[in-house]
Amino acid sequence: MTDLLYTEKDLVTSLKNYITAEENKLKQVKQWAEKLDVLSAIAMQDPEGFLGNPVNAFKLMKRLNTEWGDLESLVLKDTKEGFISNLTLQRQHFPTDEDQTGAAKALLRLQDTYRLDTNTISTGDLPGVTHKSPMTVEDCFELGKIAYSEVDYYHTELWMEQALKQLDEGEESTVDKVTVLDYLSYAIYQQGDLGRALELTKRLLMLDPEHQRANGNLKYFEFQLINQRKAQAQERFREPVPERKMYEMLCRGEGIKLTPRRQRRLFCRYFDNHGHPKYLLSPVKQEDEWDRPYIVRYHDIISHGEIEKVKELAKPRLRRATISNPITGVLETAPYRISKVCVLVCVSLFEMVDSYISNINDLTVTLQVANYGVGGQYEPHFDFGRKDEPDAFKELGTGNRIATWLFYMSDVAAGGATVFPDVGAAVWPKKGTAVFWYNLFPSGEGDYSTRHAACPVLVGNKWVSNKWIHERGQEFRRPCGLNETA
């Protein structure tokens, strides 16, 4: 996204150069026209007398034979070639229709998760934002159209209403009220509010009495309203499933289930891993985040320089994140995981991080780097492979994921928490820290309370890296337990 800003800046510079060249060309043509206008006015007062001067006759021949040809060449001169060439060159970096739709869906996702009204988003008054960017009627209309194409009539209504509101307030736009009302009335009808759909259709027909579709809808809505008075607004908003509701509440900082009694059991400490030589003089800062499942945060675990190095190496390798299909086991993209990821191996920096982790946990550990941009999220999921799924780690030969290390490589202005909906826990990003939890009990059974999610990033962007610790190689470091859930 940052690279696209530089691409656009380069295009603006190229466009301004083209405008300057066109202005210079028009300036020369205008000077020529003004000069000839004065000359023609003098000549037409006495044409024969004017041409009686042999110099005037010669200059007339010269102008028509040579100078008008030069003017024609000037007018036909193609000054746009440089701009068009640059535009063609840069087009390979342009986002696609899929990218634009993805960005629109991200905004809608943020709107739902953080309960933002359309006017707050449209005015750019988002929490934590330093560079406000208001949305035009065209922007609101485009969001509504994308929602409409996805058969998402709820968001179609919200954004068409916002577009109409800004038009009613006098904003100039290439989008007219008739078009907005056409989308808006149909979206509201699809949600069951026939009375309001009818009112908007009547308003549309006041602006355009000959609108064919609106005239047809008017009769249909009137007929439906008579027969379905009790059906108004039946499907206005689809109630989310309980987990989804808890997930969104936790993302907003609501619904956290930590009682004062449990809170008193959480501590901060200096941790030396039972007298490990590396940490006797410089113990690790450890903070309990949650008790069941046990989630612990390590402070100052990765430096700013190390973070920048990881990001530098990761950026060229970032690709759309995938998930393992629970039925086929095939890796594929999914709308509930919106991020870019890459896997980095065989770098001395990560060998150092591996050593650091191993010294803390007595567990040997591959680093996955993820970037969550606009609306980036990963909905509730398990890090471990369940018994009813194909073995996602079979090809790796590493066994299931015993534990997760999650490094926060950036602060996030708003949003972006890691939440555990089943237990009501939320962990917020803090640059330079890492959180750790076990996904499996010592018996090898999965701990289903570790189901977690990455909340959408509301403002800013979020860099994290994961270290998953697998079963193979841990047999003597974390021996198998006899109790299934302990």
Side-chain angles (χ1 to χ4, degrees), residues 254-280:
E254 303 168 8
I256 297 174
K257 298 179 179 178
L258 194 62
T259 63
R261 183 179 178 184
R262 290 170 61 194
Q263 178 85 49
R264 288 194 293 269
R265 297 175 184 169
L266 305 181
F267 297 95
C268 296
R269 67 187 66 82
Y270 286 104
F271 180 72
D272 63 9
N273 195 13
H274 311 296
H276 191 287
K278 183 175 177 61
Y279 301 113
L280 283 176

Side-chain angles (χ1 to χ4, degrees), residues 20-39:
T20 301
E22 284 289 306
E23 288 175 340
N24 289 336
K25 184 172 77 172
L26 287 173
K27 182 179 178 181
Q28 294 179 59
V29 173
K30 184 179 180 182
Q31 290 173 344
W32 170 263
E34 289 173 348
K35 182 180 77 172
L36 287 189
D37 188 43
V38 172
L39 186 63

Side-chain angles (χ1 to χ4, degrees), residues 284-287 297-302 356 430 432-434:
V284 180
K285 299 173 186 174
Q286 194 182 66
E287 177 186 1
R297 186 192 296 265
Y298 294 89
H299 291 266
D300 303 322
I301 197 81
I302 184 169
Y356 201 29
K430 184 178 180 182
T433 69

Side-chain angles (χ1 to χ4, degrees), residues 387-406:
K387 290 182 178 179
D388 57 345
E389 296 175 336
D391 189 349
F393 313 114
K394 187 174 182 179
E395 291 184 6
L396 295 175
T398 57
N400 214 339
R401 291 172 176 165
I402 286 182
T404 295
W405 271 93
L406 177 60

Side-chain angles (χ1 to χ4, degrees), residues 347-450:
V347 180
S348 59
L349 173 63
F350 310 124
E351 291 171 1
M352 179 276 296
V353 173
D354 285 356
S355 174
Y356 201 29
I357 292 172
S358 179
N359 291 336
I360 293 174
N361 290 120
D362 286 331
L363 298 173
T364 57
V365 279
T366 304
L367 185 73
Q368 176 176 274
V369 181
N371 174 236
Y372 295 83
V374 178
Q377 64 157 6
Y378 193 178
E379 291 187 5
H381 62 282
F382 298 104
D383 275 357
F384 63 88
R386 288 166 290 168
K387 290 182 178 179
D388 57 345
E389 296 175 336
D391 189 349
F393 313 114
K394 187 174 182 179
E395 291 184 6
L396 295 175
T398 57
N400 214 339
R401 291 172 176 165
I402 286 182
T404 295
W405 271 93
L406 177 60
F407 293 86
Y408 293 114
M409 302 196 299
S410 66
D411 293 314
V412 180
T418 305
V419 298
F420 296 73
D422 286 357
V423 297
V427 179
W428 300 91
K430 184 178 180 182
K431 184 176 178 180
T433 69
V435 292
F436 172 86
W437 67 85
Y438 280 105
N439 298 303
L440 304 180
F441 294 110
S443 63
E445 293 295 320
D447 183 351
Y448 283 78
S449 68
T450 61

